Amino acid sequence: MAWRAPDNLRFYIQEARLVSINLSSSQPSVDAALHALPRRYRKLRAIYPLRLELFNEYCQDWTDEFVPCVSLGEEDEDKETGERFTVPCPPFYQIPSISLARADSLKRLFTWIDLLPLETVRRAVHLLYPETKAWSFASDADDTDHALLKCITWSQLVDYDDERHCRNAMSIFIQPPWILSDRDLDLFCKRQSVGTANSIEGFAANVCHQSFGSSSSPWHERPTAPHERLWWKLWDCCITRSCPWFVVSTYTHWVFGVFSNGWTAAFVSPVYCHDSHDPSVLQLLLFWLCSAMGLPGGWEVPEVRIEPAYPSHHLTASVSDLAVTDKSKLTLWAGDG
């Protein structure tokens, strides 16, 4: 006899794997360069990778403590809202497969991510924390890179000063695997200095090593690598939304990250495959989303030494300071010292 996901939500979140995506046999022809370029206003200086073993352990410990293994007495689908668990997990759970069209465009790829992992995590969060039911995933308006990148944000509409405002907690940035390659994603997650006018070391090293044109060219006009442009794009989008927590996904691969309180650094997970286990992608998404909302036990953003704070009006959606009870977690990120 198969279970409903809420009968043992912990086991479901741990065991359900994203189905293999049906990609186009031929890659669409697109200009794959994001429009983001080096700009002096950006304060991002360094990327710190999180340690795989400790990050996995933290996620597993959080799941064991905050996701119940006893029945919640709920159905897979909420008949009132239509929210439901959509990622199959045979033979344990009776969740039917969804038939989706071949992902031969960014729009169709977005549908795969929206209807499978994001819909499932939305149902899980609302079951675990009923007070979050006003929160949902909202697709952002298209920008200059709409053909290359899609963003969907976990947000809530709130009334403030007689106006409706959008409070954001986490953004998911989606690029097709034929645009964001596995190699680019690996480089995106490496420890690095981010090239700007004030981070000469990292940028100059790239310029010399990759022979990026004449030294007489202005620094902001030099050719740049795809992973650098992606970092600049994310920084611009996240700070505009006052939303430091983010996920980058090609569906086949997933990365989880957050900017520091002063927006000068970013902490980023290793790359996870869609069928990862211990933890699963659903497990990681649920953990990262709850951390972004400041819910109990979530991950705490490390302080960066000598980091000037951004003006408070840029950070309307604050993240709760959560105590780290296990001292081993203090070495989760690959920082100095």
Side-chain angles (χ1 to χ4, degrees):
M1 177 179 175
W3 295 333
R4 300 168 300 181
D7 290 338
N8 188 337
L9 185 56
R10 184 193 304 169
F11 187 72
Y12 170 75
I13 290 295
Q14 291 174 327
E15 294 299 319
R17 320 283 179 82
L18 299 187
V19 299
S20 296
I21 193 168
N22 189 10
L23 293 170
S24 174
S25 56
S26 60
Q27 297 180 353
S29 177
V30 293
D31 178 4
L34 293 170
H35 288 81
L37 294 171
R39 292 293 181 261
R40 294 183 186 277
Y41 65 78
R42 293 194 192 97
K43 303 301 179 184
L44 184 61
R45 296 290 177 267
I47 311 303
Y48 298 110
L50 302 177
R51 302 180 190 274
L52 176 64
E53 296 80 6
L54 286 176
F55 188 67
N56 288 350
E57 179 187 345
Y58 203 127
C59 182
Q60 294 286 8
D61 289 348
W62 180 88
T63 305
D64 290 342
E65 184 171 358
F66 294 100
V67 182
C69 60
V70 297
S71 179
L72 299 176
E74 298 281 352
E75 299 294 331
D76 287 330
E77 181 175 353
D78 185 323
K79 299 301 182 182
E80 182 178 340
T81 65
E83 296 175 3
R84 57 189 173 130
F85 291 100
T86 56
V87 178
C89 187
F92 308 107
Y93 296 90
Q94 55 188 8
I95 297 169
S97 299
I98 298 177
S99 180
L100 295 174
R102 184 185 297 270
D104 57 3
S105 66
L106 174 56
K107 182 177 179 180
R108 287 188 171 178
L109 178 69
F110 171 80
T111 300
W112 278 75
I113 293 175
D114 186 29
L115 292 184
L116 290 172
L118 299 191
E119 176 65 15
T120 292
V121 167
R122 180 174 71 155
R123 177 69 172 138
V125 171
H126 289 168
L127 278 177
L128 292 172
Y129 303 97
E131 67 274 18
T132 68
K133 286 193 174 180
W135 289 79
S136 189
F137 287 109
S139 180
D140 288 358
D142 290 339
D143 65 6
T144 54
D145 290 309
H146 68 274
L148 308 176
L149 181 144
K150 184 74 173 175
C151 179
I152 186 169
T153 302
W154 181 252
S155 58
Q156 174 194 32
L157 288 175
V158 295
D159 293 321
Y160 182 74
D161 288 343
D162 296 325
E163 293 183 1
R164 303 220 81 184
H165 297 270
C166 193
R167 182 185 179 191
N168 304 308
M170 188 178 81
S171 292
I172 295 97
F173 296 92
I174 300 166
Q175 279 203 292
W178 58 82
I179 292 179
L180 183 61
S181 69
D182 294 351
R183 180 178 181 276
D184 289 336
L185 205 51
D186 285 336
L187 290 173
F188 176 82
C189 296
K190 297 292 185 184
R191 179 174 179 143
Q192 58 195 286
S193 297
V194 180
T196 66
N198 294 321
S199 70
I200 301 299
E201 278 187 65
F203 189 69
N206 283 338
V207 171
C208 294
H209 181 69
Q210 299 182 34
S211 301
F212 282 166
S214 170
S215 60
S216 61
S217 301
W219 66 271
H220 58 280
E221 293 181 1
R222 298 180 193 274
T224 52
H227 70 279
E228 290 179 304
R229 290 192 177 221
L230 182 57
W231 271 119
W232 297 330
K233 183 71 176 183
L234 262 61
W235 193 93
D236 289 350
C237 291
C238 286
I239 201 167
T240 300
R241 295 166 177 79
S242 298
C243 181
W245 298 79
F246 63 88
V247 176
V248 176
S249 176
T250 62
Y251 186 93
T252 59
H253 294 89
W254 296 75
V255 172
F256 304 84
V258 61
F259 291 101
S260 62
N261 293 331
W263 296 86
T264 65
F267 303 90
V268 63
S269 77
V271 181
Y272 290 89
C273 293
H274 73 282
D275 58 353
S276 292
H277 189 243
D278 296 329
S280 69
V281 167
L282 290 181
Q283 197 176 344
L284 289 158
L285 267 172
L286 182 61
F287 165 61
W288 210 238
L289 184 58
C290 290
S291 297
M293 298 186 74
L295 293 169
W299 191 65
E300 180 183 6
V301 182
E303 292 184 7
V304 177
R305 298 187 185 101
I306 322 176
E307 180 178 64
Y310 243 67
S312 59
H313 66 271
H314 285 284
L315 302 173
T316 55
S318 60
V319 179
S320 300
D321 292 328
L322 302 174
V324 178
T325 55
D326 184 350
K327 291 183 179 180
S328 67
K329 302 300 190 298
L330 293 174
T331 58
L332 177 60
W333 63 287
D336 297 326

